[in-house]
Amino acid sequence: MIKHAIIFCLCLLAFQTSQGQEPKSKATTAHQSFAVTGEDSLNSFGNGHSKTIISGYGELHFQRDFNEERSTAELKRAVLFVGHQFSSHISFFSELEVEDAKVEGGGVKGEVAMEQVYLKFALNPRQYFVAGLFIPRIGIINENHLPVNFNGVERPITEQLIIPSTWREIGIGFYGQTTTLPLTYSIALLNGLNSAGFEHGTGFEGGRAEGQNASCNSLAITGAVQFFAGNWKFQVSGYMGGTTAMPAKYADTLGLQKGVFGAPLYLAEANIQYAHNGISFKALGCNVSIPQAASINNAFGSNTPEQMYGAYRELGYNLLQSMKSQKWKSKQLTVFARYEVLDLNVKTPANVKYDGTLYQNHLIAGLGYFPVPNVAIKADVH
């Protein structure tokens, strides 16, 4: 399929208030400079005051399928951030999203969902806890999914199908930064997945609870390490979680492995990022393993694979980087190309037939224009 798509993106701080005065401290400054993600608006205003922050962004898509001669336009999503900094050690963060413009009763389109709702507790300038509904550090886009943070109209396909986009669960996480090395780390305990929701061709996306009636009969552990070297950033992350969300007596009836890590799903991911003098490069690889896929298929008939993988490489260049005029140097016009390969059923159990349509190659190329830092107009060809 060949399609041409254009996106208008707005990431705007819409409202900001300051409530109360507190002495400025070194702990406050360091804590606020070390954000959970680049999207945590609270960390952009670290001046020692308690603050309430309201901000958000929107995405409008126009797409043309030349094969089908079909054009569509859609308000893809509108997101509202609300946060409050209670003190130099405790802050609150939330993210509310409306997808596809509206939600109608009985309709299949549209969604209103809380993407994140959590409290952040700073222990010291380099370490903190988060508790609530939050996005674990897996992949590149999962944490940093604002449209101004990635090239192209849509998020990378690998980080939609292999690593579900904006994958959030309820739990508690610990984030830290070493004192001697340019290295950060995180570990989190989350509610697990529910294999009853797995669907053929969508990876494990349907098994997520996303904060809604999440079963804690299954649990998960995830962790990540990031290392910085000059203009390079390296990350490895992993996930291990149970997928049997039902009580043990029902699991026995269906022949499913029980326990908090019953019928486990394992995910391993690594990525590299580089940015300097207008040149940007990204590469990511991810592998998912579900050893008990056969028993999951016997129980639910979902054609769950034993293994799936995805990878992509992307190269971009800001065409305005070498401009001498300050007027143009403050803007960006980035040309990019990304190649992706993925297979959602690279290895299947005996009770599943291999589906060749789930092996995919994608080449996406396009432009992104940033007249100001938080506004993007994008066009790409897929």
Side-chain angles (χ1 to χ4, degrees):
M1 180 186 294
I2 300 175
K3 66 180 181 180
H4 176 225
I6 300 174
I7 181 173
F8 172 77
C9 308
L10 177 65
C11 179
L12 172 68
L13 180 67
F15 181 73
Q16 175 189 349
T17 65
S18 176
Q19 299 176 340
Q21 301 286 326
E22 295 179 356
K24 186 173 180 179
S25 67
K26 292 182 180 179
T28 301
T29 303
H31 158 53
Q32 291 167 343
S33 67
F34 184 36
V36 176
T37 75
E39 298 166 14
D40 189 343
S41 301
L42 291 174
N43 293 277
S44 300
F45 301 93
N47 61 3
H49 296 173
S50 291
K51 288 186 177 295
T52 298
I53 303 297
I54 299 176
S55 62
Y57 71 91
E59 291 184 47
L60 180 64
H61 289 196
F62 168 78
Q63 293 183 320
R64 171 70 176 176
D65 187 325
F66 289 101
N67 288 340
E68 297 293 331
E69 298 184 342
R70 180 185 298 114
S71 299
T72 59
E74 180 178 41
L75 179 60
K76 184 66 175 179
R77 54 178 57 89
V79 179
L80 174 68
F81 297 138
V82 178
H84 182 74
Q85 187 174 357
F86 296 101
S87 70
S88 61
H89 296 284
I90 302 176
S91 55
F92 167 80
F93 180 80
S94 68
E95 186 177 354
L96 174 65
E97 179 182 60
V98 179
E99 284 194 355
D100 302 318
K102 65 178 183 179
V103 178
E104 295 181 345
V108 296
K109 293 286 286 182
E111 179 185 59
V112 177
M114 296 302 303
E115 287 201 343
Q116 300 191 77
V117 182
Y118 63 82
L119 285 170
K120 180 178 175 181
F121 303 90
L123 302 179
N124 55 56
R126 295 179 179 273
Q127 296 176 318
Y128 57 84
F129 283 97
V130 298
L133 178 69
F134 63 94
I135 295 174
R137 185 166 288 166
I138 300 174
I140 298 174
I141 301 299
N142 203 33
E143 277 190 309
N144 298 290
H145 52 269
L146 264 66
V148 294
N149 289 340
F150 58 87
N151 289 319
V153 175
E154 301 281 1
R155 298 160 182 171
I157 298 168
T158 298
E159 295 200 76
Q160 295 184 59
L161 295 179
I162 306 299
I163 304 173
S165 184
T166 58
W167 178 13
R168 68 272 190 186
E169 303 291 1
I170 292 176
I172 183 169
F174 177 70
Y175 294 75
Q177 181 179 18
T178 61
T179 57
T180 58
L181 294 173
L183 185 144
T184 69
Y185 53 89
S186 67
I187 186 169
L189 177 67
L190 309 167
N191 64 264
L193 298 166
N194 185 353
S195 58
F198 291 174
E199 294 183 10
H200 179 68
T202 63
F204 59 88
E205 179 182 29
R208 301 174 299 164
E210 300 179 296
Q212 185 181 67
N213 195 28
S215 171
C216 290
N217 286 326
S218 61
L219 296 176
I221 297 174
T222 181
V225 175
Q226 295 179 338
F227 182 78
F228 301 83
N231 301 307
W232 293 88
K233 176 182 177 181
F234 305 87
Q235 175 178 295
V236 292
S237 68
Y239 173 96
M240 179 188 74
T243 68
T244 304
M246 61 188 65
K249 59 181 179 180
Y250 300 116
D252 286 338
T253 301
L254 292 175
L256 291 171
Q257 187 180 47
K258 56 191 175 183
V260 293
F261 295 109
L265 181 146
Y266 303 102
L267 181 152
E269 176 272 334
N271 68 74
I272 301 172
Q273 299 180 68
Y274 172 86
H276 185 61
N277 286 339
I279 299 173
S280 62
F281 171 77
K282 297 178 181 178
L284 178 143
C286 182
N287 185 80
V288 175
S289 175
I290 310 173
Q292 300 291 322
S295 60
I296 293 173
N297 292 321
N298 287 333
F300 306 114
S302 54
N303 291 327
T304 297
E306 286 186 1
Q307 185 180 358
M308 48 189 160
Y309 75 87
Y312 68 84
R313 291 173 291 176
E314 177 185 294
L315 182 65
Y317 180 67
N318 176 17
L319 298 174
L320 303 181
Q321 174 68 25
S322 60
M323 298 293 288
K324 295 181 180 180
S325 169
Q326 189 59 39
K327 173 184 176 181
W328 289 104
K329 287 191 69 172
S330 63
K331 308 177 188 301
Q332 290 186 47
L333 179 60
T334 299
V335 58
F336 83 97
R338 181 171 65 243
Y339 177 71
E340 302 196 47
V341 57
L342 60 151
D343 192 337
L344 290 165
N345 59 179
V346 63
K347 183 179 180 182
T348 58
N351 56 3
V352 172
K353 185 177 180 180
Y354 180 80
D355 181 354
T357 65
L358 298 186
Y359 172 77
Q360 304 174 18
N361 292 270
H362 301 272
L363 178 62
I364 303 99
L367 290 168
Y369 176 57
F370 293 72
V372 295
N374 286 327
V375 175
I377 300 171
K378 304 180 184 181
D380 66 30
V381 178
H382 176 192

